Amino acid sequence: MNALGIQLGLSFLWAFLVALFAVPSIIYIAHLKNMLDTPNVRTVHESLTPRLGGVAVFAGFMSALTIFADLSNGIQQLLAGCIVLFFVGLKDDLVSISVSKKFVGQLLATGVVMIMADIRVTSFQGILGIHELPIGISYAFTFLAIVGITNAINLIDGLDGLAGTIVLIITSTYGYYFARYGGTGYGNYVFVSVCLIGGMLGFLRYNFHRASIFMGDTGSLVCGFIVSILTIQFIEMGLRVGDPFGASSPAVAVGILFVPLFDTLRVFIVRMMAGRSPFSPDKNHVHHRILAMGFQQISTVMLLGLLNLVVILFVINFSALGNTLLLGALVAFSVLISVFLGVYQSRSAQQRVAS
């Protein structure tokens, strides 16, 4: 086993153990100080539950990364962005803040990585015939991508263990490719992946149904932000290094993020079609729809995790088809699932009316 393997193993173990041992203390303090999430119309849980699990994930991730990883190639700025979002999420979990304040936090974090580290999407690699992006459009698109992915992870955090499981699948996939093909330019992002996986596994020990703690915005915003940066670096690696998917890397990245992206876009479209704000909360997320079919929480999480894995295997195995065909297949598959969920929903509503 080489030195890199030992370093990765130690960073994983460190992040895992810090998160694992931090969670019971956080649960104890949250109950002591009555910092608990009250069940409401939108939530699935039925008892008062602490929301500060993200503190443990962040502590494990942050400490392991700063001890074991090389912080060049934008990782230092990634950590700075994570700190900003950590405090935004923490305030939201404790006292609840407005959407505009959350957005300002995301703007700051995104600005740090885009401007200070020059982490951005520089090319569409042939999608719609577009290659190199003008610098203004590159910054604008990168900002939308980071905020979009961050909020997609935030929005899917609606069931015990769901966001954690999806983040694990996405981060493990990226980590594998950074380890194999990253080289000097992107190789140290494998540490970002491994530290997040360790922290998340330590937390998930307490987060599966019935969860004794939730990730909260502290965790989902930080995890979403890290996933968004990994996504951009994965796409850029395809452009600069040429491995492993070359010009197909944007479509492969969309496939890797399938479940959170599909859920967010579907929910926004459904809300706007009903004449409501895309940000108005409801119980129309894909996990709510699967629960309504009669699945249990754990089987719903497993089903969505499996769905994400199947799509990842599809885009990896058929990456030679190129961006346009792959994205077309993903859109067609999304429409198919949406139609199925819609048909099932209207049928179950008719049955309720009949009964």
Side-chain angles (χ1 to χ4, degrees):
M1 195 177 187
N2 60 11
L4 177 67
I6 292 167
Q7 258 186 307
L8 285 170
L10 287 171
S11 55
F12 168 80
L13 201 62
W14 181 284
F16 173 72
L17 291 173
V18 166
L20 190 72
F21 290 119
V23 172
S25 308
I26 294 166
I27 293 172
Y28 173 73
I29 292 164
H31 281 285
L32 196 68
K33 301 290 181 187
N34 200 28
M35 297 184 290
L36 305 168
D37 192 36
T38 313
N40 59 36
V41 190
R42 286 188 297 123
T43 55
V44 177
H45 68 285
E46 290 152 10
S47 55
L48 293 165
T49 312
R51 287 183 62 178
L52 297 167
V55 175
V57 178
F58 178 77
F61 168 78
M62 193 79 177
S63 55
L65 200 59
T66 47
I67 292 166
F68 296 104
D70 165 17
L71 300 182
S72 63
N73 299 337
I75 290 182
Q76 193 178 349
Q77 289 79 4
L78 164 67
L79 286 175
C82 287
I83 292 168
V84 172
L85 288 177
F86 171 78
F87 284 107
V88 170
L90 187 63
K91 187 172 181 187
D92 191 49
D93 286 337
L94 294 175
V95 293
S96 195
I97 58 172
S98 65
V99 174
S100 55
K101 284 183 182 169
K102 259 195 218 178
F103 183 73
V104 170
Q106 291 176 11
L107 185 67
L108 276 172
T110 307
V112 169
V113 291
M114 278 199 314
I115 295 157
M116 308 292 286
D118 201 35
I119 292 174
R120 55 195 174 86
V121 178
T122 56
S123 167
F124 275 5
Q125 303 184 33
I127 299 172
L128 304 173
I130 303 166
H131 288 273
E132 191 75 25
L133 294 173
I135 192 147
I137 293 172
S138 169
Y139 277 121
F141 181 77
T142 304
F143 174 71
L144 287 175
I146 293 175
V147 171
I149 294 167
T150 303
N151 286 301
I153 300 292
N154 189 15
L155 286 170
I156 205 162
D157 184 26
L159 289 187
D160 297 349
L162 178 57
T165 303
I166 297 294
V167 166
L168 271 184
I169 291 167
I170 292 168
T171 313
S172 304
T173 310
Y174 285 146
Y176 170 76
Y177 287 108
F178 284 127
R180 279 204 65 178
Y181 305 101
T184 51
Y186 300 94
N188 55 344
Y189 277 86
V190 69
F191 279 96
V192 177
S193 306
V194 165
C195 294
L196 184 58
I197 291 164
M200 190 56 75
L201 280 173
F203 161 73
L204 277 175
R205 151 77 178 78
Y206 306 93
N207 184 236
F208 266 108
H209 193 61
R210 307 176 61 97
S212 50
I213 190 165
F214 298 145
M215 191 187 288
D217 275 17
T218 319
S220 60
L221 288 177
V222 170
C223 290
F225 181 68
I226 296 165
V227 165
S228 70
I229 302 302
L230 290 175
T231 302
I232 290 166
Q233 295 295 58
F234 176 80
I235 292 169
E236 286 298 295
M237 183 171 78
L239 184 67
R240 308 254 184 273
V241 182
D243 283 326
F245 305 112
S248 297
S249 54
V252 173
V254 170
I256 292 169
L257 295 166
F258 181 76
V259 166
L261 290 186
F262 163 70
D263 178 55
T264 304
L265 288 171
R266 180 186 159 275
V267 160
F268 278 17
I269 291 166
V270 166
R271 286 171 186 168
M272 286 190 290
M273 282 168 68
R276 291 184 294 123
S277 158
F279 300 101
S280 61
D282 57 23
K283 272 197 161 183
N284 215 345
H285 286 280
V286 65
H287 48 268
H288 292 136
R289 299 271 52 87
I290 295 172
L291 282 175
M293 291 178 187
F295 283 90
Q296 298 300 310
Q297 281 210 40
I298 289 184
S299 45
T300 303
V301 171
M302 293 303 171
L303 196 65
L304 286 171
L306 188 65
L307 173 65
N308 215 41
L309 276 172
V310 167
V311 176
I312 289 172
L313 289 171
F314 169 78
V315 289
I316 286 169
N317 285 312
F318 292 96
S319 60
L321 291 172
N323 283 316
T324 311
L325 282 173
L326 275 182
L327 290 171
L330 290 174
V331 168
F333 185 50
S334 303
V335 170
L336 205 68
I337 301 173
S338 297
V339 169
F340 171 72
L341 290 173
V343 167
Y344 194 95
Q345 187 182 355
S346 57
R347 193 177 296 164
S348 58
Q350 284 168 358
Q351 284 170 350
R352 277 200 300 276
V353 170
S355 62

